[in-house]
Amino acid sequence: MNAPASILTDVRTDFPGMLTGEGQPWHYLDTAATSQKPQAVIDAMARALGEDYATVHRGVYARSADMTRAYEAARRRVADFIGGHEEEVVFTRGATEAINLVASTWGVANLKAGDRILLSTLEHHSNIVPWQMVAERTGAEIDVCPLTHDGQIDLDAAAEILTEKHKLVALAHVSNVLGSVLDAKRAADLAHGVGAKLLLDGCQAAPRLTLDVAALDCDFYVFSAHKLYGPTAIGALWARSEILDGMPPYQGGGAMIDRVSFEKTTYAPPPQRFEAGTPAITEAVGLHAAIDYVESIGLDRIHAREMALVAQLREALGAMNDVTLYGPADTAGILSFMLDGVHPHDLGTILDEENVAIRAGHHCAQPLMEHLGVPATARASFGLYSDESDVEALLEGIARTRRIFG
């Protein structure tokens, strides 16, 4: 195999989770599910949970003020990372909660019987189920955009489907199964052409693509920190300020209020209006550190490296007559496949014996599995710490599996 086109300085040593308990290399190819964490993130969170720890937005003492500044600095860092403004960034528990927040607030307030929502065949369940729930509450109906033959969201078909009855289009920026990358700007033009809003699920895009919500021209953008080399239990919703201003609160409690009395409660402006309760303080600090780490390497370099590794794997698997590949040729760090006569769970189990970790299952995308005509796929997903040895270990594990089932 040729070396990847964009070689990065070896960063695997920055990730303590990249070794087995016996100190052997662990070939982690499940980054699309959740990423390993660099030591810089672990250290930042340890300091925030230790010597720096205090509550935020409430204390008048110095450490609380310092922690509040750190928490809000994380919000500004997220805004800079995606090309937005800090007052447009709402911290959530992850992309799933962010989509539920939009559905339960903007959706309930703006959708009614006869309105329509457009999704696509490849969406993650988190970008399907919340819209089904809000459709049941409001009487709105859901349309599904098909895929092209190679697994892209078919925007030509979307153009035919969309009407002025559509109020929302919600699509994955990068598919978590196929790795296909949406032409987000065209999706925005199509949505706005009929007066609809566009929500982009950026979970798989944020760790590998340079983001600019202004250039994308979307109305909502969501992502999770744990796929961006940060901690679990925190993510972000970005929305245009004029949209956030018109959205009612998501949950009630402390921090999201202006004034409370038993007669009437008034609410804080966005983003605080949507952040009830004590927030994920140390997680926000960890997210800040993760963005710093990723940008110190460079999203363009990360994306180029991952695409080179996917191309290597695709070429090797494509030469095997008993392997079916899914998705377009230029996938973003993700490759799903099937080995004839071997259930993905069996393949994953055998690979685990070889210290190779892949994902096997429906990947929270059961409608896509039905479209592909399979109950599950095997998925290899790369990260910034991936290298040629991971591809080689996976191929060796597949060869062993073929011998076992041969």
mmCIF file with all atom_site columns, all heavy atoms in Angstrom, residues 64-79:
data_model
loop_
_atom_site.group_PDB
_atom_site.id
_atom_site.type_symbol
_atom_site.label_atom_id
_atom_site.label_alt_id
_atom_site.label_comp_id
_atom_site.label_asym_id
_atom_site.label_entity_id
_atom_site.label_seq_id
_atom_site.pdbx_PDB_ins_code
_atom_site.Cartn_x
_atom_site.Cartn_y
_atom_site.Cartn_z
_atom_site.occupancy
_atom_site.B_iso_or_equiv
_atom_site.pdbx_formal_charge
_atom_site.auth_seq_id
_atom_site.auth_comp_id
_atom_site.auth_asym_id
_atom_site.auth_atom_id
_atom_site.pdbx_PDB_model_num
ATOM 1   N N   . SER A 1 64 ? -15.423 31.160 41.520 1.00 0.00 ? 64 SER A N   1
ATOM 2   C CA  . SER A 1 64 ? -16.646 31.047 40.735 1.00 0.00 ? 64 SER A CA  1
ATOM 3   C C   . SER A 1 64 ? -16.589 31.969 39.520 1.00 0.00 ? 64 SER A C   1
ATOM 4   O O   . SER A 1 64 ? -16.979 31.587 38.410 1.00 0.00 ? 64 SER A O   1
ATOM 5   C CB  . SER A 1 64 ? -17.866 31.381 41.592 1.00 0.00 ? 64 SER A CB  1
ATOM 6   O OG  . SER A 1 64 ? -19.049 31.371 40.810 1.00 0.00 ? 64 SER A OG  1
ATOM 7   N N   . ALA A 1 65 ? -16.085 33.176 39.730 1.00 0.00 ? 65 ALA A N   1
ATOM 8   C CA  . ALA A 1 65 ? -15.954 34.103 38.597 1.00 0.00 ? 65 ALA A CA  1
ATOM 9   C C   . ALA A 1 65 ? -14.989 33.560 37.556 1.00 0.00 ? 65 ALA A C   1
ATOM 10  O O   . ALA A 1 65 ? -15.228 33.664 36.344 1.00 0.00 ? 65 ALA A O   1
ATOM 11  C CB  . ALA A 1 65 ? -15.492 35.464 39.101 1.00 0.00 ? 65 ALA A CB  1
ATOM 12  N N   . ASP A 1 66 ? -13.907 32.953 38.018 1.00 0.00 ? 66 ASP A N   1
ATOM 13  C CA  . ASP A 1 66 ? -12.934 32.372 37.086 1.00 0.00 ? 66 ASP A CA  1
ATOM 14  C C   . ASP A 1 66 ? -13.552 31.222 36.298 1.00 0.00 ? 66 ASP A C   1
ATOM 15  O O   . ASP A 1 66 ? -13.339 31.098 35.085 1.00 0.00 ? 66 ASP A O   1
ATOM 16  C CB  . ASP A 1 66 ? -11.702 31.872 37.843 1.00 0.00 ? 66 ASP A CB  1
ATOM 17  C CG  . ASP A 1 66 ? -10.853 33.003 38.408 1.00 0.00 ? 66 ASP A CG  1
ATOM 18  O OD1 . ASP A 1 66 ? -11.027 34.160 37.955 1.00 0.00 ? 66 ASP A OD1 1
ATOM 19  O OD2 . ASP A 1 66 ? -10.028 32.724 39.301 1.00 0.00 ? 66 ASP A OD2 1
ATOM 20  N N   . MET A 1 67 ? -14.297 30.367 36.990 1.00 0.00 ? 67 MET A N   1
ATOM 21  C CA  . MET A 1 67 ? -14.909 29.242 36.307 1.00 0.00 ? 67 MET A CA  1
ATOM 22  C C   . MET A 1 67 ? -15.999 29.717 35.346 1.00 0.00 ? 67 MET A C   1
ATOM 23  O O   . MET A 1 67 ? -16.172 29.140 34.261 1.00 0.00 ? 67 MET A O   1
ATOM 24  C CB  . MET A 1 67 ? -15.478 28.246 37.317 1.00 0.00 ? 67 MET A CB  1
ATOM 25  C CG  . MET A 1 67 ? -16.011 26.970 36.700 1.00 0.00 ? 67 MET A CG  1
ATOM 26  S SD  . MET A 1 67 ? -14.787 26.079 35.690 1.00 0.00 ? 67 MET A SD  1
ATOM 27  C CE  . MET A 1 67 ? -13.949 25.115 36.955 1.00 0.00 ? 67 MET A CE  1
ATOM 28  N N   . THR A 1 68 ? -16.721 30.748 35.723 1.00 0.00 ? 68 THR A N   1
ATOM 29  C CA  . THR A 1 68 ? -17.717 31.311 34.812 1.00 0.00 ? 68 THR A CA  1
ATOM 30  C C   . THR A 1 68 ? -17.051 31.814 33.545 1.00 0.00 ? 68 THR A C   1
ATOM 31  O O   . THR A 1 68 ? -17.544 31.591 32.427 1.00 0.00 ? 68 THR A O   1
ATOM 32  C CB  . THR A 1 68 ? -18.488 32.453 35.490 1.00 0.00 ? 68 THR A CB  1
ATOM 33  O OG1 . THR A 1 68 ? -19.189 31.936 36.623 1.00 0.00 ? 68 THR A OG1 1
ATOM 34  C CG2 . THR A 1 68 ? -19.479 33.097 34.539 1.00 0.00 ? 68 THR A CG2 1
ATOM 35  N N   . ARG A 1 69 ? -15.915 32.485 33.700 1.00 0.00 ? 69 ARG A N   1
ATOM 36  C CA  . ARG A 1 69 ? -15.201 32.959 32.515 1.00 0.00 ? 69 ARG A CA  1
ATOM 37  C C   . ARG A 1 69 ? -14.742 31.790 31.644 1.00 0.00 ? 69 ARG A C   1
ATOM 38  O O   . ARG A 1 69 ? -14.812 31.848 30.411 1.00 0.00 ? 69 ARG A O   1
ATOM 39  C CB  . ARG A 1 69 ? -14.004 33.824 32.932 1.00 0.00 ? 69 ARG A CB  1
ATOM 40  C CG  . ARG A 1 69 ? -14.385 35.241 33.341 1.00 0.00 ? 69 ARG A CG  1
ATOM 41  C CD  . ARG A 1 69 ? -13.170 36.123 33.504 1.00 0.00 ? 69 ARG A CD  1
ATOM 42  N NE  . ARG A 1 69 ? -12.415 35.781 34.704 1.00 0.00 ? 69 ARG A NE  1
ATOM 43  C CZ  . ARG A 1 69 ? -12.634 36.322 35.898 1.00 0.00 ? 69 ARG A CZ  1
ATOM 44  N NH1 . ARG A 1 69 ? -13.598 37.224 36.044 1.00 0.00 ? 69 ARG A NH1 1
ATOM 45  N NH2 . ARG A 1 69 ? -11.913 35.965 36.948 1.00 0.00 ? 69 ARG A NH2 1
ATOM 46  N N   . ALA A 1 70 ? -14.299 30.702 32.277 1.00 0.00 ? 70 ALA A N   1
ATOM 47  C CA  . ALA A 1 70 ? -13.856 29.538 31.515 1.00 0.00 ? 70 ALA A CA  1
ATOM 48  C C   . ALA A 1 70 ? -15.030 28.888 30.776 1.00 0.00 ? 70 ALA A C   1
ATOM 49  O O   . ALA A 1 70 ? -14.900 28.461 29.616 1.00 0.00 ? 70 ALA A O   1
ATOM 50  C CB  . ALA A 1 70 ? -13.199 28.522 32.448 1.00 0.00 ? 70 ALA A CB  1
ATOM 51  N N   . TYR A 1 71 ? -16.163 28.811 31.449 1.00 0.00 ? 71 TYR A N   1
ATOM 52  C CA  . TYR A 1 71 ? -17.352 28.221 30.833 1.00 0.00 ? 71 TYR A CA  1
ATOM 53  C C   . TYR A 1 71 ? -17.804 29.039 29.629 1.00 0.00 ? 71 TYR A C   1
ATOM 54  O O   . TYR A 1 71 ? -18.084 28.486 28.546 1.00 0.00 ? 71 TYR A O   1
ATOM 55  C CB  . TYR A 1 71 ? -18.467 28.135 31.875 1.00 0.00 ? 71 TYR A CB  1
ATOM 56  C CG  . TYR A 1 71 ? -19.747 27.522 31.374 1.00 0.00 ? 71 TYR A CG  1
ATOM 57  C CD1 . TYR A 1 71 ? -19.873 26.140 31.239 1.00 0.00 ? 71 TYR A CD1 1
ATOM 58  C CD2 . TYR A 1 71 ? -20.836 28.315 31.045 1.00 0.00 ? 71 TYR A CD2 1
ATOM 59  C CE1 . TYR A 1 71 ? -21.057 25.570 30.794 1.00 0.00 ? 71 TYR A CE1 1
ATOM 60  C CE2 . TYR A 1 71 ? -22.026 27.753 30.591 1.00 0.00 ? 71 TYR A CE2 1
ATOM 61  C CZ  . TYR A 1 71 ? -22.132 26.381 30.462 1.00 0.00 ? 71 TYR A CZ  1
ATOM 62  O OH  . TYR A 1 71 ? -23.296 25.823 30.012 1.00 0.00 ? 71 TYR A OH  1
ATOM 63  N N   . GLU A 1 72 ? -17.869 30.349 29.785 1.00 0.00 ? 72 GLU A N   1
ATOM 64  C CA  . GLU A 1 72 ? -18.308 31.198 28.679 1.00 0.00 ? 72 GLU A CA  1
ATOM 65  C C   . GLU A 1 72 ? -17.246 31.296 27.590 1.00 0.00 ? 72 GLU A C   1
ATOM 66  O O   . GLU A 1 72 ? -17.569 31.496 26.414 1.00 0.00 ? 72 GLU A O   1
ATOM 67  C CB  . GLU A 1 72 ? -18.706 32.580 29.193 1.00 0.00 ? 72 GLU A CB  1
ATOM 68  C CG  . GLU A 1 72 ? -19.965 32.575 30.048 1.00 0.00 ? 72 GLU A CG  1
ATOM 69  C CD  . GLU A 1 72 ? -21.178 32.016 29.304 1.00 0.00 ? 72 GLU A CD  1
ATOM 70  O OE1 . GLU A 1 72 ? -21.247 32.169 28.067 1.00 0.00 ? 72 GLU A OE1 1
ATOM 71  O OE2 . GLU A 1 72 ? -22.046 31.412 29.966 1.00 0.00 ? 72 GLU A OE2 1
ATOM 72  N N   . ALA A 1 73 ? -15.975 31.123 27.974 1.00 0.00 ? 73 ALA A N   1
ATOM 73  C CA  . ALA A 1 73 ? -14.922 31.068 26.956 1.00 0.00 ? 73 ALA A CA  1
ATOM 74  C C   . ALA A 1 73 ? -15.112 29.852 26.060 1.00 0.00 ? 73 ALA A C   1
ATOM 75  O O   . ALA A 1 73 ? -14.818 29.892 24.849 1.00 0.00 ? 73 ALA A O   1
ATOM 76  C CB  . ALA A 1 73 ? -13.541 31.039 27.614 1.00 0.00 ? 73 ALA A CB  1
ATOM 77  N N   . ALA A 1 74 ? -15.602 28.753 26.648 1.00 0.00 ? 74 ALA A N   1
ATOM 78  C CA  . ALA A 1 74 ? -15.882 27.566 25.851 1.00 0.00 ? 74 ALA A CA  1
ATOM 79  C C   . ALA A 1 74 ? -16.992 27.846 24.842 1.00 0.00 ? 74 ALA A C   1
ATOM 80  O O   . ALA A 1 74 ? -16.938 27.380 23.692 1.00 0.00 ? 74 ALA A O   1
ATOM 81  C CB  . ALA A 1 74 ? -16.270 26.406 26.761 1.00 0.00 ? 74 ALA A CB  1
ATOM 82  N N   . ARG A 1 75 ? -17.979 28.609 25.237 1.00 0.00 ? 75 ARG A N   1
ATOM 83  C CA  . ARG A 1 75 ? -19.063 28.962 24.307 1.00 0.00 ? 75 ARG A CA  1
ATOM 84  C C   . ARG A 1 75 ? -18.506 29.789 23.139 1.00 0.00 ? 75 ARG A C   1
ATOM 85  O O   . ARG A 1 75 ? -18.854 29.558 21.976 1.00 0.00 ? 75 ARG A O   1
ATOM 86  C CB  . ARG A 1 75 ? -20.148 29.749 25.047 1.00 0.00 ? 75 ARG A CB  1
ATOM 87  C CG  . ARG A 1 75 ? -21.448 29.886 24.238 1.00 0.00 ? 75 ARG A CG  1
ATOM 88  C CD  . ARG A 1 75 ? -22.420 30.874 24.876 1.00 0.00 ? 75 ARG A CD  1
ATOM 89  N NE  . ARG A 1 75 ? -22.694 30.599 26.271 1.00 0.00 ? 75 ARG A NE  1
ATOM 90  C CZ  . ARG A 1 75 ? -23.602 29.728 26.708 1.00 0.00 ? 75 ARG A CZ  1
ATOM 91  N NH1 . ARG A 1 75 ? -24.293 29.028 25.842 1.00 0.00 ? 75 ARG A NH1 1
ATOM 92  N NH2 . ARG A 1 75 ? -23.797 29.560 27.999 1.00 0.00 ? 75 ARG A NH2 1
ATOM 93  N N   . ARG A 1 76 ? -17.653 30.763 23.477 1.00 0.00 ? 76 ARG A N   1
ATOM 94  C CA  . ARG A 1 76 ? -17.046 31.573 22.412 1.00 0.00 ? 76 ARG A CA  1
ATOM 95  C C   . ARG A 1 76 ? -16.179 30.716 21.505 1.00 0.00 ? 76 ARG A C   1
ATOM 96  O O   . ARG A 1 76 ? -16.123 30.936 20.288 1.00 0.00 ? 76 ARG A O   1
ATOM 97  C CB  . ARG A 1 76 ? -16.214 32.710 23.021 1.00 0.00 ? 76 ARG A CB  1
ATOM 98  C CG  . ARG A 1 76 ? -17.037 33.802 23.684 1.00 0.00 ? 76 ARG A CG  1
ATOM 99  C CD  . ARG A 1 76 ? -16.192 35.017 24.016 1.00 0.00 ? 76 ARG A CD  1
ATOM 100 N NE  . ARG A 1 76 ? -15.148 34.716 24.988 1.00 0.00 ? 76 ARG A NE  1
ATOM 101 C CZ  . ARG A 1 76 ? -15.332 34.744 26.308 1.00 0.00 ? 76 ARG A CZ  1
ATOM 102 N NH1 . ARG A 1 76 ? -16.532 35.029 26.808 1.00 0.00 ? 76 ARG A NH1 1
ATOM 103 N NH2 . ARG A 1 76 ? -14.340 34.470 27.133 1.00 0.00 ? 76 ARG A NH2 1
ATOM 104 N N   . ARG A 1 77 ? -15.500 29.721 22.090 1.00 0.00 ? 77 ARG A N   1
ATOM 105 C CA  . ARG A 1 77 ? -14.635 28.853 21.286 1.00 0.00 ? 77 ARG A CA  1
ATOM 106 C C   . ARG A 1 77 ? -15.465 28.034 20.310 1.00 0.00 ? 77 ARG A C   1
ATOM 107 O O   . ARG A 1 77 ? -15.083 27.843 19.153 1.00 0.00 ? 77 ARG A O   1
ATOM 108 C CB  . ARG A 1 77 ? -13.852 27.915 22.210 1.00 0.00 ? 77 ARG A CB  1
ATOM 109 C CG  . ARG A 1 77 ? -12.727 27.175 21.512 1.00 0.00 ? 77 ARG A CG  1
ATOM 110 C CD  . ARG A 1 77 ? -11.633 28.148 21.110 1.00 0.00 ? 77 ARG A CD  1
ATOM 111 N NE  . ARG A 1 77 ? -10.535 27.498 20.427 1.00 0.00 ? 77 ARG A NE  1
ATOM 112 C CZ  . ARG A 1 77 ? -10.456 27.317 19.102 1.00 0.00 ? 77 ARG A CZ  1
ATOM 113 N NH1 . ARG A 1 77 ? -11.460 27.734 18.325 1.00 0.00 ? 77 ARG A NH1 1
ATOM 114 N NH2 . ARG A 1 77 ? -9.418  26.751 18.555 1.00 0.00 ? 77 ARG A NH2 1
ATOM 115 N N   . VAL A 1 78 ? -16.621 27.526 20.763 1.00 0.00 ? 78 VAL A N   1
ATOM 116 C CA  . VAL A 1 78 ? -17.514 26.797 19.876 1.00 0.00 ? 78 VAL A CA  1
ATOM 117 C C   . VAL A 1 78 ? -18.004 27.701 18.752 1.00 0.00 ? 78 VAL A C   1
ATOM 118 O O   . VAL A 1 78 ? -18.028 27.313 17.575 1.00 0.00 ? 78 VAL A O   1
ATOM 119 C CB  . VAL A 1 78 ? -18.700 26.206 20.657 1.00 0.00 ? 78 VAL A CB  1
ATOM 120 C CG1 . VAL A 1 78 ? -19.766 25.666 19.698 1.00 0.00 ? 78 VAL A CG1 1
ATOM 121 C CG2 . VAL A 1 78 ? -18.230 25.108 21.596 1.00 0.00 ? 78 VAL A CG2 1
ATOM 122 N N   . ALA A 1 79 ? -18.393 28.919 19.108 1.00 0.00 ? 79 ALA A N   1
ATOM 123 C CA  . ALA A 1 79 ? -18.873 29.864 18.099 1.00 0.00 ? 79 ALA A CA  1
ATOM 124 C C   . ALA A 1 79 ? -17.808 30.132 17.045 1.00 0.00 ? 79 ALA A C   1
ATOM 125 O O   . ALA A 1 79 ? -18.090 30.117 15.837 1.00 0.00 ? 79 ALA A O   1
ATOM 126 C CB  . ALA A 1 79 ? -19.307 31.164 18.771 1.00 0.00 ? 79 ALA A CB  1
#
